[in-house]
Amino acid sequence: LQQAGPCGATAAALPLVINTWAFRKATETAWRILQLGGSELDAVEKGCGQCEIDQCDGSVGYGGSPDESGETTLDAMIMDGDTMEVGAVADLRRVKNAIGVARKVIEHTKHTLLVGESASLFAVRMGFPYEDLTTQKSLLIYSEWLNQSCQPNYWKNVVPDSSKSCGPYKRLGKITCEEETVSQRAIHNHDTIGMVVIGKSGTVASGTSTNGGVHKIPGRVGDSPIAGAGSYADSTAGGAAATGDGDTMMRFLPSYQAVEYMRMGVDPTVACQKVISRIQKYAPKFFGAVICANTTGSYGAACNKIPGFTQFHFMVYSPSLNQPAEQVVDCI
């Protein structure tokens, strides 16, 4: 475990794999694909796909984060920093390999984002099998939530009172302002895998995969499948990926903004910090982190400091390391 410096990125020779959280197997898979001659996009797809198989932290892949109806749905995206093409799926149902489907959106359509039941139909046409994403664990999470009067949830300004009871809800005539609070729900249920891969020639690819926020309102889409929010790749500048409270973070396009800072010559760590600071002005209690890497192989990360989340762990693999290295930064 390496402590990343408070300022100044860590330099590494290319190629480079960097991903959010201590998802080591995903890092190893992406690196292996590169070593076998696979493309940067291949590495991102297989690396994030490894987390879908492993159900990383219960927040990626099947069998985690059931929504209000008890169903697990998936969001994913993949981006080619050479062509600036993006493939993404959101609210994907009954298909496990979300980032694989996202890759097919690039390869076989002129679109960028497919959603919901129609995305699932597309996946089947592309050869992906229908599979049940529900597990005994996700059913247990759901039943326990129902027994706790559906607490916590994502409703506001509705009747009956969403802080005390389950729905169905109807809108409240009078809109009130709710003070932002830090909840344990936010801290532990948005652990998206975001990955950036930079090849020997400087080609950048990025991607994300998640099953979203636990107990989300059905149909909710977070930052993960949105280009510039969940991740962003540009082979003329670098790549970035975000994790955390997607409903807040997606409003600021943190991954796009971080890449633009790096394009201006800003150090990757500082670029990540500047992005977090921008969001802090509007949502000081938000849960989130960003990883950044430029085309020279320098990288960094930053996170917002809140109770229960004072450090952020991420993985790096490069030629200067003989194995994937878990690194940690102190939140700001």
Side-chain angles (χ1 to χ4, degrees):
L1 188 68
Q2 297 181 6
Q3 178 79 29
C7 59
T10 310
L14 295 175
L16 173 74
V17 175
I18 179 171
N19 59 265
T20 57
W21 307 107
F23 299 150
R24 179 179 299 269
K25 200 170 175 183
T27 320
E28 292 173 337
T29 298
W31 184 259
R32 185 174 68 251
I33 295 297
L34 288 179
Q35 299 310 302
L36 292 173
S39 70
E40 293 80 7
L41 274 182
D42 293 336
V44 168
E45 179 187 353
K46 297 304 181 184
C48 291
Q50 186 68 54
C51 252
E52 294 174 345
I53 295 168
D54 296 341
Q55 302 167 283
C56 287
D57 268 8
S59 61
V60 182
Y62 70 101
S65 301
D67 65 18
E68 277 197 339
S69 64
E71 183 179 10
T72 295
T73 59
L74 309 179
D75 298 343
M77 69 157 284
I78 192 166
M79 184 167 185
D80 184 333
D82 279 354
T83 65
M84 306 307 288
E85 290 178 293
V86 174
V89 289
D91 194 25
L92 182 71
R93 307 175 65 195
R94 300 187 304 282
V95 178
K96 287 184 176 180
N97 185 202
I99 196 163
V101 181
R103 177 81 179 270
K104 294 295 185 285
V105 173
I106 289 182
E107 294 177 340
H108 299 290
T109 82
K110 298 177 182 178
H111 298 313
T112 294
L113 172 64
L114 298 179
V115 302
E117 193 65 30
S118 299
S120 301
L121 291 172
F122 167 78
V124 171
R125 293 173 73 177
M126 292 295 104
F128 295 86
Y130 267 151
E131 299 178 85
D132 190 357
L133 304 191
T134 301
T135 61
Q136 287 302 119
K137 181 180 178 182
S138 66
L139 286 174
L140 181 62
I141 293 170
Y142 180 56
S143 63
E144 288 178 348
W145 178 71
L146 290 176
N147 289 335
Q148 294 168 3
S149 301
C150 302
Q151 302 303 311
N153 60 60
Y154 289 92
W155 292 89
K156 64 180 184 180
N157 296 317
V158 292
V159 288
D161 186 342
S162 62
S163 68
K164 299 175 181 176
S165 63
C166 297
Y169 306 106
K170 293 183 179 180
R171 64 187 179 91
L172 187 64
K174 183 180 179 182
I175 303 298
T176 60
C177 293
E178 292 189 7
E179 183 182 351
E180 183 193 9
T181 58
V182 177
S183 72
Q184 292 305 111
R185 172 194 69 197
I187 294 174
H188 295 291
N189 295 303
H190 292 268
D191 299 347
T192 310
I193 182 168
M195 178 177 284
V196 175
V197 172
I198 305 179
K200 287 183 180 178
S201 64
T203 291
V204 183
S206 70
T208 66
S209 183
T210 187
N211 52 34
V214 67
H215 312 313
K216 62 190 175 185
I217 298 171
R220 179 264 189 184
V221 175
D223 64 324
S224 297
I226 307 302
S231 80
Y232 198 72
D234 186 335
S235 297
T236 67
T243 183
D245 179 1
D247 288 296
T248 296
M249 297 183 74
M250 68 192 297
R251 303 165 193 168
F252 299 88
L253 296 176
S255 295
Y256 171 79
Q257 187 61 51
V259 171
E260 291 308 299
Y261 282 137
M262 290 188 289
R263 185 192 308 282
M264 293 185 283
V266 175
D267 169 278
T269 296
V270 177
C272 283
Q273 291 171 343
K274 286 168 74 73
V275 164
I276 294 295
S277 295
R278 282 171 67 117
I279 305 174
Q280 282 174 335
K281 294 175 185 175
Y282 297 89
K285 299 176 183 178
F286 86 99
F287 164 61
V290 182
I291 55 170
C292 301
N294 65 22
T295 51
T296 69
S298 294
Y299 60 87
C303 50
N304 185 40
K305 186 177 182 179
I306 54 174
F309 185 61
T310 59
Q311 291 185 321
F312 173 58
H313 295 246
F314 62 102
M315 298 299 302
V316 178
Y317 210 155
S318 74
S320 61
L321 304 166
N322 57 12
Q323 61 182 2
E326 181 180 338
Q327 305 209 357
V328 58
V329 290
D330 293 320
C331 297
I332 60 174

